[in-house]
Amino acid sequence: MSTLANQLAAAEREEVARAIRLLLVRPLLTEAADPAGFELVRRRREPLARWFDYTCGWSLVVEARRGYARLTKVRANPDGSRPARRERSGRAPFDRRRYVLLCVTAAELLSMPMTTIGMLADRVVQATAADRALPSFDPVHRPERTAFVDVLKLLEAYDVLRAVDGTTEAYVESTAAKVLYRVDTTLLMRLPAAPVGASGLAVPPDEVPARFEQLLTGLARERRYGGVVVDGTADEAHSEAAATDAQRNLRLRHSVLRRLFDDPVLYRSDLTDDELAYVTSLTGRQILRRSVEQAGFVLEERAEGFLLVDPDGLATDVRFPDDTSTARVAALLLLEPLCAAPAGLLPEQLAEAGADLLRRFPRWAKAFQSEDGAARLADDAVGVLRDAGLVRRTRGRVVACPAAYRYRLTKTTSSDPEDKSGPDASSRKTAGTTASGGVVAEGDQQ
């Protein structure tokens, strides 16, 4: 019996670890998108909920009958590095217009279990016309219809909207398109992850731009850590003084582990003095290592920071290097000059490095073969590297972070020496590893 019990316990640990990594990469997991993954989460929902609450302070809701699991991830440092992306147009990030339409559309859908695309568009027109702080939505113009369709496609990807009849893309061509939707209003209400609702911030619209950072802090403030919130904002010094020792320790644990499980790399230099003291303390190190082991990761600890290795790549949402876009290929190639310049490179130097790539491969990156193409290519590549935690901007320069030195370029062209069409990521060898949150390098999988 003891052998069987041990086997069952080991099987449960393995399943919980796998489910943790599935939810880290897909905080909204639906049965329609991943039946096997959803069934695993449904079966192990109780130990999963306990792990996420203790480790990161994130809540997990599993609605077995409705077929979805929602992990409410609150970022330790809210920023724009994880934008909503269009389901069409090469996964381009949402712009301000699309975010506005997303919020207005979601608000209108709350009272509509069934709707058509025309009725929904009319409701959005009326809502934006009635709010002086919002630009009016005018579906007569094609760019407006395109933005609206991008919003609807995102909600379809979340399973909030389901097209019962017709296709959403048809609305781009004509406002007369007929599309019937079923709306999951319960799931729609689960989408926001901010601890404080935006409607709770009583701020006049004309004051929002000047107080944006303050309001963003108010949206992300969590009561469990103590402090007093007034009008959605609070003074950090007063909040810290009002918190108990237990609340401060809880905040430190969650802030450190959220960043460790949500970002590609956690650098010691990015931690506050209190966070660094916590993660280097005996208790903090024990909790960190135990949490990493329970999630099925391998912890790499270096003098500069920490990195989680996912042996199965389940928690990896973005792979690097890869050749899925020109910017990603250019990002790998630009690591060589960046790592060779400890003080970093100026924008002009990066643009020259981009120009050198375009000269070496004249038939590659045709969208960048223009007067300002080299600068645009370098800027896009730096964006890829920054999101992967490999570079940062400091005093006008782009500086390679310690993790960037894991990648060693040994081959930059295809096997055909006469081929000038462009570099191929699959034909390069790199020194690196698989990391939670996005860094994957070929050649050193662990």
Side-chain angles (χ1 to χ4, degrees):
M1 289 296 294
S2 61
T3 301
L4 177 60
N6 290 338
Q7 291 175 343
L8 292 175
E12 179 179 358
R13 287 194 299 270
E14 291 177 2
E15 289 188 350
V16 169
R18 182 179 181 84
I20 287 172
R21 285 174 284 154
L22 286 175
L23 287 167
L24 284 174
V25 74
R26 299 186 67 178
L28 177 58
L29 184 64
T30 63
E31 186 176 19
D34 186 357
F38 175 77
E39 173 58 24
L40 177 61
V41 171
R42 184 199 64 79
R43 191 168 62 252
R44 300 300 184 187
R45 59 184 178 273
E46 292 184 3
L48 285 171
R50 289 195 299 269
W51 187 91
F52 279 113
D53 180 65
Y54 177 84
T55 304
C56 300
W58 294 336
S59 63
L60 173 65
V61 175
V62 180
E63 293 285 355
R65 293 184 179 180
R66 291 186 172 272
Y68 71 83
R70 173 62 168 141
L71 175 65
T72 306
K73 294 171 66 175
V74 181
R75 294 272 290 165
N77 295 306
D79 56 31
S81 62
R82 308 286 175 86
R85 293 189 176 275
R86 308 174 200 179
E87 296 297 308
R88 314 175 312 128
S89 305
R91 301 284 295 166
F94 267 34
D95 53 18
R96 183 185 183 88
R97 184 57 174 157
R98 284 167 173 78
Y99 278 121
V100 170
L101 288 177
L102 175 61
C103 293
V104 176
T105 301
E108 295 302 320
L109 286 172
L110 284 173
S111 60
M112 304 172 70
M114 295 286 291
T115 187
T116 65
I117 196 168
M119 292 174 58
L120 182 57
D122 290 341
R123 293 279 293 267
V124 173
V125 169
Q126 296 171 13
T128 54
D131 193 328
R132 62 185 179 87
L134 299 178
S136 296
F137 172 59
D138 187 358
V140 172
H141 301 292
R142 184 185 177 94
E144 289 279 83
R145 297 198 304 272
T146 300
F148 187 53
V149 166
D150 286 335
V151 167
L152 298 181
K153 292 298 293 181
L154 180 68
L155 293 173
E156 285 187 79
Y158 291 156
D159 273 351
V160 168
L161 284 181
R162 293 189 182 182
V164 178
D165 186 30
T167 58
T168 303
E169 291 86 345
Y171 190 74
V172 174
E173 302 300 328
S174 172
T175 56
K178 305 297 182 183
V179 188
L180 177 64
Y181 294 110
R182 180 178 288 112
V183 186
D184 190 335
T185 54
T186 303
L187 179 55
L188 177 61
M189 289 187 289
R190 294 285 186 191
L191 292 185
V196 178
S199 59
L201 306 182
V203 178
D206 55 350
E207 294 184 19
V208 170
R211 299 176 59 183
F212 182 76
E213 293 298 330
Q214 185 182 20
L215 293 172
L216 187 61
T217 301
L219 286 173
R221 187 169 298 281
E222 298 170 78
R223 295 177 180 269
R224 70 170 76 190
Y225 305 134
V228 179
V229 179
V230 179
D231 291 334
T233 62
D235 182 80
E236 291 291 340
H238 291 166
S239 296
E240 184 67 19
T244 65
D245 289 341
Q247 289 172 324
R248 282 192 289 270
N249 287 333
L250 184 65
R251 178 182 60 80
L252 290 172
R253 181 172 81 225
H254 288 168
S255 63
V256 170
L257 293 179
R258 282 176 181 179
R259 296 172 70 174
L260 184 65
F261 285 104
D262 207 29
D263 293 323
V265 185
L266 177 60
Y267 294 107
R268 296 178 190 268
S269 59
D270 292 336
L271 299 175
T272 65
D273 292 341
D274 287 345
E275 289 172 336
L276 187 58
Y278 176 83
V279 80
T280 55
S281 68
L282 179 61
T283 300
R285 290 176 66 85
Q286 289 177 339
I287 292 175
L288 185 150
R289 292 184 176 182
R290 183 173 67 246
S291 300
V292 168
E293 181 181 359
Q294 290 170 343
F297 289 103
V298 176
L299 177 66
E300 286 194 12
E301 186 173 354
R302 298 287 186 267
E304 300 84 4
F306 307 88
L307 182 145
L308 295 188
V309 178
D310 182 359
D312 303 316
L314 296 176
T316 300
D317 57 346
V318 177
R319 294 182 177 272
F320 178 84
D322 64 16
D323 54 4
T324 56
S325 72
T326 301
R328 295 190 176 280
V329 175
L332 179 61
L333 296 174
L334 287 182
L335 277 180
E336 186 175 15
L338 281 167
C339 290
L345 296 178
L346 293 167
E348 296 80 5
Q349 294 173 304
L350 286 166
E352 179 55 35
D356 180 61
L357 292 178
L358 295 175
R359 285 192 295 268
R360 289 166 59 192
F361 306 105
R363 288 184 290 173
W364 172 66
K366 293 183 179 179
F368 297 92
Q369 298 284 354
S370 61
E371 183 177 353
D372 64 340
R376 289 189 294 111
L377 178 63
D379 191 57
D380 290 352
V382 168
V384 171
L385 296 172
R386 186 179 63 250
D387 291 345
L390 300 178
V391 301
R392 66 182 63 190
R393 295 185 185 274
T394 304
R395 298 178 180 178
R397 293 176 177 266
V398 176
V399 182
C401 295
Y405 294 88
R406 300 170 64 88
Y407 299 86
R408 182 178 63 255
L409 203 61
T410 59
K411 189 177 181 181
T412 59
T413 61
S414 67
S415 56
D416 182 1
E418 300 300 322
D419 184 8
K420 300 294 184 181
S421 60
D424 178 9
S426 63
S427 68
R428 288 185 297 274
K429 296 180 181 179
T430 58
T433 189
T434 304
S436 165
V439 181
V440 174
E442 302 166 349
D444 189 23
Q445 301 284 344
Q446 296 188 15

